[in-house]
Amino acid sequence: MQLIISLIAGILFGLGMIISGMFNPYKVLNFFDILGSFDASMIFVMGGALLTTLIGFQIAKKRGKTLTGGVFHLPTKVDIDKNLVIGAAIFGFGWGIIGFCPGSALPLVGAGNVKVIIFIASFITGGYLVRLMNKARAR
Amino acid sequence: METIFNFTGIETSFTPWLSIIGGGFIGLSAVLLMMGIGRIMGISGITNGIFTSANTQDRSWRLAVIFGIMLSPWLYFLFSGKMVNIDINFTTPQLIIGGLIVGIGATLGGGCTSGHGICGNARFSSRSIVSTLIFMSVALITVYVTRHVIGG
């Protein structure tokens, strides 16, 4: 059951990326190009997503447990630490260069786009490098 | 140098209704994952988690989400007759560097647009609000510099 729910959630997410056009890095980059080829679409995507999620999460919270009778695995960190701030800046910089984030890239990966597969492989490598760095620091 | 800094964009159209509807689908997916199995629809976290998973059950739901996203263009094709694809004029070095930076940033910062930008903000998480404000502003500045200062 867990797997079916996860699969459907993934499908809905991907369809959302496709319908909204967010799989297209130029739509994302043009959103940030406020003094150039500005395309306001992304704020409407985020608006639609946030509205749905705001309502849905409140309903989930009220239920107290998941549809499968389990607990909610919510993030436990609350403090705004160095890693959050630096990570967000680095992410924003990369996003501003390439216009892809992993969510928007995955539908194209599924469609077999080689360039985007290169992006995702690099994304995964980047994550791996951070874990490597954390391990080295912990010694 | 020139192959890395080729920042020519292409024009795109403003599509408010498709954006809202698509956003609704994305929100719905996040609600389903939360209501269904109590998990955050944060793609960076889900992807990274595949490699750090302690057990098969944890890895399985993550793989199912990722597989679902990759399946979506085929379902879209069944319904619309159109296969999503796009002519991307990014060079391989750009894709690698961009991917690495996005991967490092998302992993260090604990999430990306879906994790912090949508789910985190919907939970009124101050970490996510701060993260979103930072990555949005930096992306804006980056695009400005690459398109209007360095030039395309």
Side-chain angles (χ1 to χ4, degrees):
Chain A
M1 192 56 183
Q2 239 203 7
L3 294 181
I4 296 171
I5 290 170
S6 304
L7 184 74
I8 296 173
I11 290 171
L12 286 170
F13 184 92
L15 286 175
M17 284 293 173
I18 292 169
I19 292 166
S20 65
M22 291 292 102
F23 68 90
N24 180 350
Y26 299 111
K27 278 194 78 84
V28 172
L29 294 172
N30 285 342
F31 173 74
F32 292 114
D33 194 2
I34 52 176
L35 294 175
S37 335
F38 179 61
D39 176 350
S41 299
M42 194 170 86
I43 199 68
F44 286 80
V45 182
M46 299 219 69
L50 270 168
L51 193 66
T52 315
T53 318
L54 261 162
I55 298 169
F57 277 12
Q58 288 308 310
I59 297 172
K61 207 165 135 187
K62 283 216 179 96
R63 285 191 87 252
K65 56 181 192 287
T66 69
L67 291 171
T68 52
V71 295
F72 297 111
H73 302 266
L74 299 175
T76 49
K77 285 198 203 152
V78 284
D79 55 315
I80 291 154
D81 58 357
K82 244 185 0 192
N83 282 347
L84 181 87
V85 172
I86 295 172
I90 294 172
F91 174 80
F93 176 56
W95 200 29
I97 289 178
I98 206 77
F100 280 121
C101 59
S104 69
L106 280 168
L108 284 172
V109 173
N113 188 308
V114 177
K115 289 193 174 186
V116 185
I117 291 170
I118 294 172
F119 167 81
I120 278 285
S122 306
F123 170 86
I124 292 169
T125 308
Y128 173 72
L129 289 172
V130 172
R131 291 193 290 278
L132 215 62
M133 179 193 76
N134 287 337
K135 271 195 201 143
R137 280 226 188 120
R139 272 200 224 115
Chain B
M1 235 357 165
E2 258 160 24
T3 52
I4 299 182
F5 290 113
N6 167 32
F7 288 115
T8 341
I10 63 167
E11 295 290 326
T12 61
S13 1
F14 174 51
T15 52
W17 290 110
L18 286 174
S19 297
I20 293 173
I21 293 166
F25 270 75
I26 293 169
L28 201 63
S29 76
V31 171
L32 179 61
L33 203 68
M34 181 56 78
M35 276 216 221
I37 68 172
R39 293 283 182 177
I40 297 268
M41 184 59 109
I43 306 304
S44 296
I46 292 173
T47 309
N48 280 327
I50 291 170
F51 302 96
T52 59
S53 263
N55 58 69
T56 315
Q57 196 198 20
D58 186 66
R59 200 174 301 120
S60 300
W61 74 261
R62 294 168 187 276
L63 286 168
V65 172
I66 302 301
F67 183 66
I69 304 177
M70 294 202 292
L71 199 61
S72 64
W74 299 98
L75 289 168
Y76 185 78
F77 174 67
L78 276 172
F79 281 108
S80 71
K82 289 188 227 161
M83 179 45 92
V84 287
N85 224 323
I86 175 144
D87 235 339
I88 302 166
N89 68 9
F90 295 131
T91 62
T92 305
Q94 219 177 345
L95 290 160
I96 293 173
I97 292 171
L100 281 170
I101 297 174
V102 171
I104 289 168
T107 309
L108 198 62
C112 57
T113 333
S114 53
H116 279 307
I118 295 167
C119 296
N121 287 330
R123 294 173 59 230
F124 306 108
S125 153
S126 28
R127 276 175 59 88
S128 295
I129 293 166
V130 169
S131 174
T132 306
L133 287 170
I134 293 175
F135 68 65
M136 289 285 189
S137 332
V138 174
L140 198 118
I141 296 167
T142 304
V143 171
Y144 176 72
V145 170
T146 57
R147 284 194 176 180
H148 303 288
V149 176
I150 294 176

